[in-house]
Amino acid sequence: MVEGRIVCEQLGYAGVRKVTHSGYFGPAKRRFWMDNIFCEGHEKELTHCHFDGWGVNDCEPSEAAGVICDAPVGLEPEPEVQPEYYEPKYRVHYTHKMDVRLRGGRHHKEGRVEVRINNGKWGTICSDGWGLLEANVVCRQLGLGYARDAMQTDFFGGSDIAPHLITGTECYGNETSLNDCLHHDYLRGVLSCHGSLNHVAVVICDHLAPDLVIDYYEIERTAHLEDRPMALMQCAMEENCVANEAYEIQRDDPDWRYATRRLLKFTASALNTGNIDFRPFKEKNMWEWHMCHMHYHSMEVFATFDIFDHSGVKVAQGHKASFCLEDSQCLPGIPKKYNCANFGDQGISVNCSDVYLYNLDCQWVDITEMNTGSYTLKIAINPEFKVAEMNFDNNAAICNLLYTDTYARVDNCRLVRP
């Protein structure tokens, strides 16, 4: 939403109504110019934000980002000229009977999702916004375990695909039935699906899945302040791990190396309590080599660190360009399998933890410009739901943060979803 607001305001609109992903407006037909964009919110143009460099990306055509902007005040569009991708207002819970089945798969645990309402005809689900949260509900409802993948494709069916019966599906992820999720209100005639009619919601289910749990006790125990000279942060600055003000100092002050940044540092530990290993979203041939840290990074966004004020406004955030996943420590009797060194395989084994210690680069939030006071700290792992898990409700920790001139205290943490 931060990046989306900057785009809309740069284009002269009043604000952002919705940000889109996964090629909501169709697959990208040209090259990607920007990847891993990170804005703090005060930028006037998207080019003032951090990103990997012009044309540097590992994006697929289906990963294109988009926005739906609010029109300028007094220039609201008339209903009849709203574009085809306009997001309908009516999204409701269906109260009638809804049957669900999978069709077209190679076995009974995969295929396109078909639904039937009140014993009527079977139809498909529009794939707009379809993801792991929705797919998990379908697999749970059918007794097929957890979603291993959620796709938007016509692979399972080709020309033998029924018309869309449901659009606008949005699930929290813990529902027991697709009927409990939100959908566009078809009783009002609201059916909105962008793109090809043959691209429908598809799931692959499995009874095996990882399940990451963040260790918030370790966050409370290790949180502390450090004032670090910028001369010791050059590697971290290359990976966009400090606030924008630091780069302005680097640009404008010839003695920038002697300036210091105040960092809230902590250890983040993720334990895999599932029944199968947690593996990176990217294939190994797509991992990125980082010269500063001298190893490959397999995930662009594995963890996010955000600080909010009492109004819920984000006032500071941590950002790590990429992550290297490995078995840092395992329960007794469990051998370590994954290691970042020497281009080794990356992942987190069952009953093992990937631990990012507080003394590692970028394991912090730059709070130099933040005023002292009471805040909320939120640390999330797998925040974009890119890797399938049994449950996402234990992937984040929300904590109280007390920040003074001389110390910081983090306490009263609890598990939430990202």
Side-chain angles (χ1 to χ4, degrees), residues 7-71:
V7 169
C8 290
E9 291 179 355
Q10 182 180 347
L11 292 172
Y13 294 101
V16 59
R17 179 180 304 170
K18 180 180 179 181
V19 293
T20 70
H21 56 84
S22 303
Y24 183 85
F25 297 116
K29 297 179 181 179
R30 299 177 178 86
R31 70 179 299 177
F32 284 87
W33 279 111
M34 303 174 80
D35 190 15
N36 294 333
I37 300 176
F38 169 64
C39 305
E40 294 196 352
H42 56 73
E43 298 86 353
K44 298 300 182 183
E45 297 181 8
L46 201 63
T47 53
H48 296 163
C49 303
H50 303 298
F51 58 99
D52 284 351
W54 293 112
V56 178
N57 75 90
D58 55 5
C59 301
E60 299 292 330
S62 61
E63 294 185 273
V67 293
I68 299 174
C69 300
D70 287 322

Side-chain angles (χ1 to χ4, degrees), residues 178-381:
L178 202 62
N179 205 44
D180 300 326
C181 301
L182 291 172
H183 313 275
H184 289 158
D185 190 353
Y186 83 100
L187 293 177
R188 294 176 179 259
V190 179
L191 286 175
S192 174
C193 188
H194 179 267
S196 170
L197 293 178
N198 290 335
H199 280 69
V200 298
V202 167
V203 301
I204 299 177
C205 302
D206 200 330
H207 284 91
L208 299 176
D211 189 18
L212 298 186
V213 181
I214 192 165
D215 185 350
Y216 60 78
Y217 292 110
E218 192 69 9
I219 298 171
E220 294 179 347
R221 187 181 67 84
T222 58
H224 65 280
L225 297 179
E226 178 183 328
D227 292 330
R228 174 174 288 198
M230 290 176 62
L232 302 179
M233 302 176 65
Q234 295 186 58
C235 184
M237 293 183 69
E238 288 181 18
E239 296 196 9
N240 299 328
C241 295
V242 293
N244 278 359
E245 288 79 4
Y247 297 96
E248 295 173 1
I249 294 173
Q250 184 184 40
R251 181 193 62 199
D252 301 332
D253 186 352
D255 296 324
W256 63 269
R257 292 176 177 82
Y258 302 105
T260 60
R261 304 298 296 174
R262 173 154 289 191
L263 309 175
L264 174 65
K265 308 183 74 174
F266 46 83
T267 294
S269 175
L271 172 66
N272 182 6
T273 63
N275 54 19
I276 197 173
D277 296 350
F278 182 96
R279 298 304 305 276
F281 177 74
K282 294 182 183 178
E283 297 295 331
K284 193 169 184 177
N285 63 342
M286 298 178 66
W287 296 354
E288 298 178 2
W289 173 257
H290 281 243
M291 283 297 296
C292 279
H293 297 149
M294 299 300 290
H295 59 223
Y296 284 89
H297 287 181
S298 60
M299 287 192 69
E300 295 169 357
V301 181
F302 176 69
T304 55
F305 318 134
D306 298 316
I307 298 177
F308 302 89
D309 64 16
H310 289 301
S311 301
V313 177
K314 187 185 298 185
V315 294
Q317 56 189 343
H319 175 72
K320 301 179 72 166
S322 294
F323 291 79
C324 171
L325 304 181
E326 65 180 5
D327 293 331
S328 304
Q329 59 187 33
C330 299
L331 296 181
I334 306 296
K336 295 181 179 180
K337 184 190 304 184
Y338 300 105
N339 195 315
C340 293
N342 301 319
F343 199 34
D345 283 339
Q346 294 190 25
I348 308 175
S349 301
V350 176
N351 291 327
C352 292
S353 298
D354 181 22
V355 181
Y356 271 81
L357 296 172
Y358 63 82
N359 58 0
L360 295 176
D361 250 358
C362 301
Q363 191 56 43
W364 62 60
V365 180
D366 184 348
I367 60 172
T368 309
E369 283 74 33
M370 195 173 82
N371 295 324
T372 57
S374 298
Y375 297 92
T376 297
L377 170 67
K378 182 175 182 180
I379 299 173
I381 51 179

